Amino acid sequence: RPGIKIIKTIRVRTESDLNQCREYEGAVDLFIFDTRNNTADDTGKHFDPTLLAHYDGEIPFLLSGGIGPDDTDKVLDFDHPKCVGINLNLYFEIAPAVKDVDKLNAFISKIRQNKR
């Protein structure tokens, strides 16, 4: 339908994992780059955003992968022309799928106040 955006999560552990992006060019509107884990219960691992320096695709993306309230410097230091936002998940939850609005507001305020 018109107006619906297609988002594809790409799990990345090494630079070569970014090659998966090529097969989705022209089919998706946005990527989420997240941590590739070894097991299904291996969640919350921090993503190494330096791997994304090697992403040279045209599709914009969200940075993801264990970003929490204490990661403002990491987010502010990250710079990539195709990064259009961040995905805040696990570390902002007070229960599964329930976000702590105070944590989210505090994090977003820090990011907005410290734009570099």
Side-chain angles (χ1 to χ4, degrees), residues 10-22 36 51 54:
I10 302 287
R11 306 223 182 263
V12 180
R13 186 176 12 177
T14 66
E15 178 185 336
S16 64
D17 291 330
L18 292 170
N19 292 332
Q20 299 173 64
C21 297
R22 289 186 179 90
R36 188 175 86 190
L51 292 170
H54 304 283

PDB file of all heavy atoms in Angstrom, residues 10-22 36 51 54:
ATOM      1  N   ILE A  10      19.237  -6.270   9.520  1.00  0.00           N
ATOM      2  CA  ILE A  10      20.440  -7.002   9.116  1.00  0.00           C
ATOM      3  C   ILE A  10      21.278  -7.187  10.369  1.00  0.00           C
ATOM      4  O   ILE A  10      21.645  -6.223  11.033  1.00  0.00           O
ATOM      5  CB  ILE A  10      21.257  -6.226   8.050  1.00  0.00           C
ATOM      6  CG1 ILE A  10      20.412  -5.938   6.803  1.00  0.00           C
ATOM      7  CG2 ILE A  10      22.554  -6.948   7.716  1.00  0.00           C
ATOM      8  CD1 ILE A  10      20.132  -7.137   5.933  1.00  0.00           C
ATOM      9  N   ARG A  11      21.557  -8.427  10.689  1.00  0.00           N
ATOM     10  CA  ARG A  11      22.369  -8.728  11.876  1.00  0.00           C
ATOM     11  C   ARG A  11      23.830  -8.764  11.448  1.00  0.00           C
ATOM     12  O   ARG A  11      24.193  -9.490  10.528  1.00  0.00           O
ATOM     13  CB  ARG A  11      21.929 -10.037  12.484  1.00  0.00           C
ATOM     14  CG  ARG A  11      20.430 -10.016  12.771  1.00  0.00           C
ATOM     15  CD  ARG A  11      20.080 -10.602  14.094  1.00  0.00           C
ATOM     16  NE  ARG A  11      18.641 -10.591  14.289  1.00  0.00           N
ATOM     17  CZ  ARG A  11      17.986  -9.659  14.967  1.00  0.00           C
ATOM     18  NH1 ARG A  11      18.653  -8.672  15.506  1.00  0.00           N
ATOM     19  NH2 ARG A  11      16.692  -9.716  15.112  1.00  0.00           N
ATOM     20  N   VAL A  12      24.636  -7.975  12.140  1.00  0.00           N
ATOM     21  CA  VAL A  12      26.023  -7.773  11.733  1.00  0.00           C
ATOM     22  C   VAL A  12      26.965  -8.117  12.889  1.00  0.00           C
ATOM     23  O   VAL A  12      26.802  -7.624  13.998  1.00  0.00           O
ATOM     24  CB  VAL A  12      26.254  -6.304  11.299  1.00  0.00           C
ATOM     25  CG1 VAL A  12      27.685  -6.088  10.873  1.00  0.00           C
ATOM     26  CG2 VAL A  12      25.296  -5.903  10.200  1.00  0.00           C
ATOM     27  N   ARG A  13      27.922  -8.965  12.592  1.00  0.00           N
ATOM     28  CA  ARG A  13      29.002  -9.243  13.538  1.00  0.00           C
ATOM     29  C   ARG A  13      30.350  -8.904  12.911  1.00  0.00           C
ATOM     30  O   ARG A  13      31.292  -8.558  13.598  1.00  0.00           O
ATOM     31  CB  ARG A  13      28.973 -10.697  13.979  1.00  0.00           C
ATOM     32  CG  ARG A  13      29.984 -10.983  15.073  1.00  0.00           C
ATOM     33  CD  ARG A  13      29.928 -12.384  15.610  1.00  0.00           C
ATOM     34  NE  ARG A  13      29.104 -13.250  14.780  1.00  0.00           N
ATOM     35  CZ  ARG A  13      28.936 -14.525  14.989  1.00  0.00           C
ATOM     36  NH1 ARG A  13      29.508 -15.107  15.993  1.00  0.00           N
ATOM     37  NH2 ARG A  13      28.173 -15.248  14.191  1.00  0.00           N
ATOM     38  N   THR A  14      30.418  -9.042  11.578  1.00  0.00           N
ATOM     39  CA  THR A  14      31.655  -8.736  10.870  1.00  0.00           C
ATOM     40  C   THR A  14      31.332  -7.860   9.659  1.00  0.00           C
ATOM     41  O   THR A  14      30.176  -7.779   9.225  1.00  0.00           O
ATOM     42  CB  THR A  14      32.357 -10.020  10.370  1.00  0.00           C
ATOM     43  OG1 THR A  14      31.524 -10.634   9.379  1.00  0.00           O
ATOM     44  CG2 THR A  14      32.649 -10.987  11.514  1.00  0.00           C
ATOM     45  N   GLU A  15      32.347  -7.252   9.117  1.00  0.00           N
ATOM     46  CA  GLU A  15      32.179  -6.393   7.938  1.00  0.00           C
ATOM     47  C   GLU A  15      31.511  -7.146   6.785  1.00  0.00           C
ATOM     48  O   GLU A  15      30.675  -6.604   6.071  1.00  0.00           O
ATOM     49  CB  GLU A  15      33.548  -5.870   7.522  1.00  0.00           C
ATOM     50  CG  GLU A  15      33.547  -5.027   6.301  1.00  0.00           C
ATOM     51  CD  GLU A  15      34.950  -4.628   5.863  1.00  0.00           C
ATOM     52  OE1 GLU A  15      35.875  -4.614   6.692  1.00  0.00           O
ATOM     53  OE2 GLU A  15      35.110  -4.345   4.666  1.00  0.00           O
ATOM     54  N   SER A  16      31.853  -8.406   6.600  1.00  0.00           N
ATOM     55  CA  SER A  16      31.294  -9.170   5.489  1.00  0.00           C
ATOM     56  C   SER A  16      29.785  -9.384   5.618  1.00  0.00           C
ATOM     57  O   SER A  16      29.099  -9.607   4.617  1.00  0.00           O
ATOM     58  CB  SER A  16      32.008 -10.517   5.346  1.00  0.00           C
ATOM     59  OG  SER A  16      31.793 -11.310   6.488  1.00  0.00           O
ATOM     60  N   ASP A  17      29.248  -9.287   6.836  1.00  0.00           N
ATOM     61  CA  ASP A  17      27.799  -9.418   7.016  1.00  0.00           C
ATOM     62  C   ASP A  17      27.037  -8.305   6.299  1.00  0.00           C
ATOM     63  O   ASP A  17      25.864  -8.465   5.971  1.00  0.00           O
ATOM     64  CB  ASP A  17      27.430  -9.415   8.503  1.00  0.00           C
ATOM     65  CG  ASP A  17      27.901 -10.664   9.223  1.00  0.00           C
ATOM     66  OD1 ASP A  17      27.978 -11.735   8.582  1.00  0.00           O
ATOM     67  OD2 ASP A  17      28.193 -10.571  10.433  1.00  0.00           O
ATOM     68  N   LEU A  18      27.702  -7.184   6.057  1.00  0.00           N
ATOM     69  CA  LEU A  18      27.051  -6.071   5.362  1.00  0.00           C
ATOM     70  C   LEU A  18      26.738  -6.398   3.905  1.00  0.00           C
ATOM     71  O   LEU A  18      25.914  -5.732   3.282  1.00  0.00           O
ATOM     72  CB  LEU A  18      27.928  -4.813   5.441  1.00  0.00           C
ATOM     73  CG  LEU A  18      28.057  -4.213   6.837  1.00  0.00           C
ATOM     74  CD1 LEU A  18      29.121  -3.134   6.846  1.00  0.00           C
ATOM     75  CD2 LEU A  18      26.729  -3.671   7.315  1.00  0.00           C
ATOM     76  N   ASN A  19      27.357  -7.437   3.365  1.00  0.00           N
ATOM     77  CA  ASN A  19      27.094  -7.840   1.980  1.00  0.00           C
ATOM     78  C   ASN A  19      25.639  -8.264   1.776  1.00  0.00           C
ATOM     79  O   ASN A  19      25.133  -8.224   0.652  1.00  0.00           O
ATOM     80  CB  ASN A  19      28.028  -8.964   1.551  1.00  0.00           C
ATOM     81  CG  ASN A  19      29.460  -8.495   1.454  1.00  0.00           C
ATOM     82  OD1 ASN A  19      29.719  -7.318   1.203  1.00  0.00           O
ATOM     83  ND2 ASN A  19      30.391  -9.389   1.672  1.00  0.00           N
ATOM     84  N   GLN A  20      24.969  -8.663   2.864  1.00  0.00           N
ATOM     85  CA  GLN A  20      23.562  -9.057   2.777  1.00  0.00           C
ATOM     86  C   GLN A  20      22.696  -7.920   2.244  1.00  0.00           C
ATOM     87  O   GLN A  20      21.650  -8.149   1.645  1.00  0.00           O
ATOM     88  CB  GLN A  20      23.018  -9.420   4.148  1.00  0.00           C
ATOM     89  CG  GLN A  20      23.677 -10.561   4.852  1.00  0.00           C
ATOM     90  CD  GLN A  20      23.134 -10.658   6.266  1.00  0.00           C
ATOM     91  OE1 GLN A  20      21.952 -10.923   6.440  1.00  0.00           O
ATOM     92  NE2 GLN A  20      23.982 -10.433   7.256  1.00  0.00           N
ATOM     93  N   CYS A  21      23.114  -6.701   2.469  1.00  0.00           N
ATOM     94  CA  CYS A  21      22.324  -5.525   2.080  1.00  0.00           C
ATOM     95  C   CYS A  21      22.056  -5.484   0.585  1.00  0.00           C
ATOM     96  O   CYS A  21      20.984  -5.045   0.158  1.00  0.00           O
ATOM     97  CB  CYS A  21      23.034  -4.242   2.501  1.00  0.00           C
ATOM     98  SG  CYS A  21      23.216  -4.099   4.282  1.00  0.00           S
ATOM     99  N   ARG A  22      23.002  -5.941  -0.195  1.00  0.00           N
ATOM    100  CA  ARG A  22      22.871  -5.848  -1.650  1.00  0.00           C
ATOM    101  C   ARG A  22      21.623  -6.535  -2.185  1.00  0.00           C
ATOM    102  O   ARG A  22      20.980  -6.058  -3.105  1.00  0.00           O
ATOM    103  CB  ARG A  22      24.115  -6.404  -2.315  1.00  0.00           C
ATOM    104  CG  ARG A  22      25.316  -5.493  -2.138  1.00  0.00           C
ATOM    105  CD  ARG A  22      26.515  -5.992  -2.930  1.00  0.00           C
ATOM    106  NE  ARG A  22      27.628  -5.098  -2.746  1.00  0.00           N
ATOM    107  CZ  ARG A  22      28.540  -5.217  -1.785  1.00  0.00           C
ATOM    108  NH1 ARG A  22      28.466  -6.198  -0.921  1.00  0.00           N
ATOM    109  NH2 ARG A  22      29.532  -4.351  -1.682  1.00  0.00           N
ATOM    110  N   ARG A  36      24.522  -9.436  15.546  1.00  0.00           N
ATOM    111  CA  ARG A  36      24.248 -10.838  15.209  1.00  0.00           C
ATOM    112  C   ARG A  36      24.712 -11.677  16.374  1.00  0.00           C
ATOM    113  O   ARG A  36      25.878 -11.639  16.772  1.00  0.00           O
ATOM    114  CB  ARG A  36      24.962 -11.253  13.932  1.00  0.00           C
ATOM    115  CG  ARG A  36      24.515 -12.644  13.499  1.00  0.00           C
ATOM    116  CD  ARG A  36      25.097 -13.031  12.185  1.00  0.00           C
ATOM    117  NE  ARG A  36      26.402 -13.619  12.431  1.00  0.00           N
ATOM    118  CZ  ARG A  36      27.280 -13.902  11.487  1.00  0.00           C
ATOM    119  NH1 ARG A  36      27.006 -13.624  10.234  1.00  0.00           N
ATOM    120  NH2 ARG A  36      28.427 -14.448  11.781  1.00  0.00           N
ATOM    121  N   LEU A  51      31.813  -1.028  12.582  1.00  0.00           N
ATOM    122  CA  LEU A  51      31.623  -1.904  11.421  1.00  0.00           C
ATOM    123  C   LEU A  51      30.857  -1.199  10.308  1.00  0.00           C
ATOM    124  O   LEU A  51      31.032  -1.491   9.131  1.00  0.00           O
ATOM    125  CB  LEU A  51      30.856  -3.167  11.825  1.00  0.00           C
ATOM    126  CG  LEU A  51      31.562  -4.145  12.748  1.00  0.00           C
ATOM    127  CD1 LEU A  51      30.583  -5.199  13.236  1.00  0.00           C
ATOM    128  CD2 LEU A  51      32.730  -4.786  12.026  1.00  0.00           C
ATOM    129  N   HIS A  54      31.982   0.646   6.889  1.00  0.00           N
ATOM    130  CA  HIS A  54      32.132  -0.082   5.630  1.00  0.00           C
ATOM    131  C   HIS A  54      30.837  -0.164   4.833  1.00  0.00           C
ATOM    132  O   HIS A  54      30.830  -0.690   3.727  1.00  0.00           O
ATOM    133  CB  HIS A  54      32.670  -1.487   5.902  1.00  0.00           C
ATOM    134  CG  HIS A  54      33.949  -1.466   6.663  1.00  0.00           C
ATOM    135  ND1 HIS A  54      35.155  -1.165   6.085  1.00  0.00           N
ATOM    136  CD2 HIS A  54      34.210  -1.671   7.976  1.00  0.00           C
ATOM    137  CE1 HIS A  54      36.108  -1.196   7.010  1.00  0.00           C
ATOM    138  NE2 HIS A  54      35.555  -1.497   8.149  1.00  0.00           N
TER     139      HIS A  54
END
